[in-house]
């Protein structure tokens, strides 16, 4: 009979595991195909008026014919980054308050809030840097689109303003700095406890 109770408890919990697994699988499928569909639509809309005849400096994905689409996509990315940073800051404030107001009797819950707070604080500088990069890119694209530049200068200027290579170069340095800072802080806390 004792094993029957255990089996009933496991059986009751089983549908929740199936539901979680199905949800994760559905999320992966939706994410994969949504990204693929977005890329296909962006390619079709962005390059429908792409000039394929005549001379070109090089095959650029951002020229005067595709500038409007790239500008809209950059604005959407910047807007999502703004929302990401705002939500992260709100979550930091919320988790900080919750962790501070919990009593010592709820240590596992307090630990969970502190871990969430720590995780968000680690990724917030990267999110802010991403926001700054896409804001600079959007502003640069907007200003360059208002200029009357020849095609080669337009493409060259916007290639320089494309911020993803800068982000990919500097982001690992930010993460390395954050990891070194975290290790230093952890070492100081351990030294403080031992003395």
């Amino acid at each position: 009979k004792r094993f029957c109770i255990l089996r009933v408890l496991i059986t009751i919990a089983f549908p929740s595991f199936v539901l979680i697994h199905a949800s994760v699988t559905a999320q992966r499928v939706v994410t994969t195909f949504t990204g693929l569909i977005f890329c296909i639509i962006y390619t079709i809309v962005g390059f429908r008026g792409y000039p394929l005849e005549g001379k070109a400096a090089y095959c650029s994905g951002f020229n005067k014919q595709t500038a409007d689409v790239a500008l809209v996509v950059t604005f959407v990315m910047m807007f999502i980054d703004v929302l990401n940073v705002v939500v992260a800051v709100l979550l930091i404030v919320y988790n900080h308050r919750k962790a501070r107001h919990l009593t010592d009797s709820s240590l596992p819950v307090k630990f969970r809030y502190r871990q969430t707070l720590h995780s968000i604080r680690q990724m917030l500088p990267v999110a802010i840097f991403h926001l700054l990069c896409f804001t600079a890119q959007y502003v640069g694209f907007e200003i360059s689109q208002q200029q009357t530049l020849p095609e080669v200068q337009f493409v060259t200027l916007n290639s320089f303003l494309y911020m993803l290579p800068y982000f990919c170069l500097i982001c690992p340095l930010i993460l390395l700095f954050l990891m070194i800072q975290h290790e230093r802080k952890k070492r100081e806390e351990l030294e403080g406890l031992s003395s």
Side-chain angles (χ1 to χ4, degrees), residues 155-176:
V155 170
T156 305
L157 176 64
N158 286 310
S159 297
F160 176 73
L161 293 171
Y162 184 60
M163 291 304 218
L164 193 59
Y166 305 117
F167 177 78
C168 291
L169 177 70
I170 296 173
C171 186
L173 298 175
I174 292 172
L175 291 173
L176 180 64

Side-chain angles (χ1 to χ4, degrees), residues 13-179:
F14 185 72
S16 64
F17 290 116
V18 172
L19 185 62
I20 289 171
H21 183 66
S23 300
V24 168
T25 304
Q27 184 266 338
R28 288 179 183 161
V29 168
V30 168
T31 303
T32 302
F33 289 114
T34 303
L36 179 63
I37 291 169
F38 174 75
C39 290
I40 292 170
I41 290 171
Y42 177 72
T43 303
I44 291 169
V45 171
F47 296 101
R48 71 182 184 288
Y50 194 81
L52 295 176
E53 55 280 328
K55 295 182 180 180
Y58 57 90
C59 185
S60 170
F62 188 85
N63 58 20
K64 288 185 178 183
Q65 289 78 16
T66 62
D68 292 335
V69 176
L71 199 62
V72 169
V73 170
T74 305
F75 178 78
V76 169
M77 183 64 83
M78 184 184 70
F79 180 72
I80 291 170
D81 280 343
V82 168
L83 288 178
N84 186 21
V85 169
V86 168
V87 167
V89 169
L90 291 175
L91 284 173
I92 285 174
V93 170
Y94 174 77
N95 283 300
H96 184 67
R97 286 184 181 169
K98 284 297 248 185
R100 196 170 18 142
H101 292 303
L102 289 173
T103 63
D104 291 333
S105 61
S106 57
L107 283 177
V109 176
K110 193 171 187 174
F111 177 76
R112 189 179 71 228
Y113 281 117
R114 287 192 177 189
Q115 284 299 106
T116 304
L117 184 64
H118 176 71
S119 300
I120 296 170
R121 280 185 179 159
Q122 278 186 323
M123 294 311 294
L124 186 60
V126 174
I128 290 171
F129 182 61
H130 197 265
L131 171 63
L132 293 174
C133 285
F134 271 93
T135 301
Q137 181 174 319
Y138 175 75
V139 170
F141 283 178
E142 185 71 48
I143 291 171
S144 71
Q145 201 171 10
Q146 294 171 1
Q147 306 296 320
T148 53
L149 298 171
E151 182 74 25
V152 173
Q153 290 177 350
F154 182 81
V155 170
T156 305
L157 176 64
N158 286 310
S159 297
F160 176 73
L161 293 171
Y162 184 60
M163 291 304 218
L164 193 59
Y166 305 117
F167 177 78
C168 291
L169 177 70
I170 296 173
C171 186
L173 298 175
I174 292 172
L175 291 173
L176 180 64
F177 173 76
L178 290 172
M179 287 188 298

